């Protein structure tokens, strides 16, 4: 989503707002990332995990997690003067994936959060964005108790298309999350420019 706006107080008429998705498996840190970087109080749609849900949600490796996102998370961050990002965190469970098509409409790109202890959980998100040609970066959320892997190891394990960025991050840290978003905007900008040139030629 790209929009231009100006406010009654004489705001910049060329200001842009870009729509970014934050996706990944269950319990990987999507809500944490959106909350850490958002300059406004984030909108959250979390509910307590129920016994009924435990039979369909894979809680392996996230045994201490007691809530889950059932619709989306929303936050906003200003990257620089005139450029803001609207962040939409997607629900991680399969049963909420019908929301992804709606959330992805108009998105510039996506962050796919990964946990190296459960790397296979981010395969569906990677496949989703690759098939829809939505530019994305893989951000490895470095949990303290998780083994550290290099970006090339993660890229090979996920069989990413050549050039897809992989970055290491701490979803709890604002500056770390901001660096991930900047990397995504730069990569998505190059990808969209390349496609525009390809269509013209």
């Amino acid at each position: 989503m790209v929009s231009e706006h100006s406010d009654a107080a004489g705001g910049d008429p060329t200001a842009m707002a870009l729509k970014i998705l934050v996706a990944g498996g269950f319990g990987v840190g999507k809500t944490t990332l959106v909350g850490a970087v958002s300059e406004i109080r984030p909108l959250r749609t979390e509910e307590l995990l129920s016994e009924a849900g435990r039979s369909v949600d894979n809680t392996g490796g996230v045994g201490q997690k007691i809530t889950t996102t059932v619709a989306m998370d929303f936050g906003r961050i200003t990257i620089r003067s005139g450029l803001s990002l609207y962040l939409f965190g997607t629900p991680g469970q399969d049963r909420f994936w019908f929301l992804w098509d709606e959330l992805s409409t108009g998105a510039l790109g996506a962050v796919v959060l990964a946990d190296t202890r459960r790397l296979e959980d981010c395969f569906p998100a990677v496949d989703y964005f690759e098939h829809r040609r939505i530019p994305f970066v893989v951000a490895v959320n470095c949990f303290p108790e998780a083994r550290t892997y290099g970006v090339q190891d993660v890229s090979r394990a996920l069989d990413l298309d050549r050039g897809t960025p992989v970055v290491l991050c701490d979803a709890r840290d604002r500056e770390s999350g901001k660096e991930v978003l900047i990397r995504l905007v730069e990569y998505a900008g190059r990808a969209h420019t390349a496609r525009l040139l390809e269509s013209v030629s």
Side-chain angles (χ1 to χ4, degrees):
M1 177 180 70
V2 180
S3 64
E4 297 183 355
H5 62 275
S6 60
D7 56 33
D12 183 357
T14 62
M16 297 178 63
L18 307 177
K19 182 179 183 181
I20 301 294
L21 300 186
V22 180
F26 177 62
V28 78
K30 300 180 295 295
T31 298
T32 300
L33 177 64
V34 172
V37 301
S38 181
E39 62 198 16
I40 62 172
R41 183 177 180 179
L43 168 68
R44 292 174 174 157
T45 58
E46 289 198 308
E47 295 292 341
L48 290 173
L49 287 170
S50 66
E51 287 303 317
R54 290 184 188 278
S55 64
V56 292
D57 295 330
N58 179 12
T59 58
V62 288
Q64 295 181 342
K65 186 173 174 61
I66 61 172
T67 62
T68 184
T69 298
V70 296
M72 68 174 186
D73 299 310
F74 174 78
R76 185 190 71 208
I77 180 174
T78 300
I79 295 297
R80 58 171 171 76
S81 178
L83 176 60
S84 297
L85 304 183
Y86 290 164
L87 308 175
F88 293 81
T90 66
Q93 303 97 308
D94 296 1
R95 58 196 170 106
F96 294 123
W97 276 10
F98 65 92
L99 295 169
W100 282 41
D101 287 339
E102 190 70 30
L103 290 174
S104 65
T105 301
L108 175 78
V111 173
V112 175
L113 271 177
D115 179 350
T116 57
R117 299 168 302 177
R118 299 176 292 119
L119 200 57
E120 67 279 2
D121 289 359
C122 71
F123 273 114
V126 168
D127 289 343
Y128 182 91
F129 296 121
E130 282 184 345
H131 289 147
R132 288 160 180 77
R133 301 190 70 194
I134 297 174
F136 68 95
V137 302
V138 173
V140 179
N141 191 7
C142 299
F143 289 89
E145 64 274 19
R147 179 179 172 184
T148 301
Y149 291 88
V151 295
Q152 293 300 328
D153 294 327
V154 174
S155 182
R156 284 192 293 269
L158 294 177
D159 193 26
L160 298 176
D161 290 341
R162 185 173 181 179
T164 302
V166 177
V167 295
L168 305 180
C169 75
D170 182 343
R172 303 166 299 179
D173 182 75
R174 176 180 171 82
E175 289 304 313
S176 180
K178 187 175 179 180
E179 285 301 315
V180 170
L181 296 172
I182 291 173
R183 185 78 176 272
L184 170 62
V185 170
E186 293 173 345
Y187 173 65
R190 293 194 300 269
H192 284 292
T193 298
R195 289 173 190 171
L196 179 62
L197 293 175
E198 181 181 312
S199 66
V200 171
S201 62

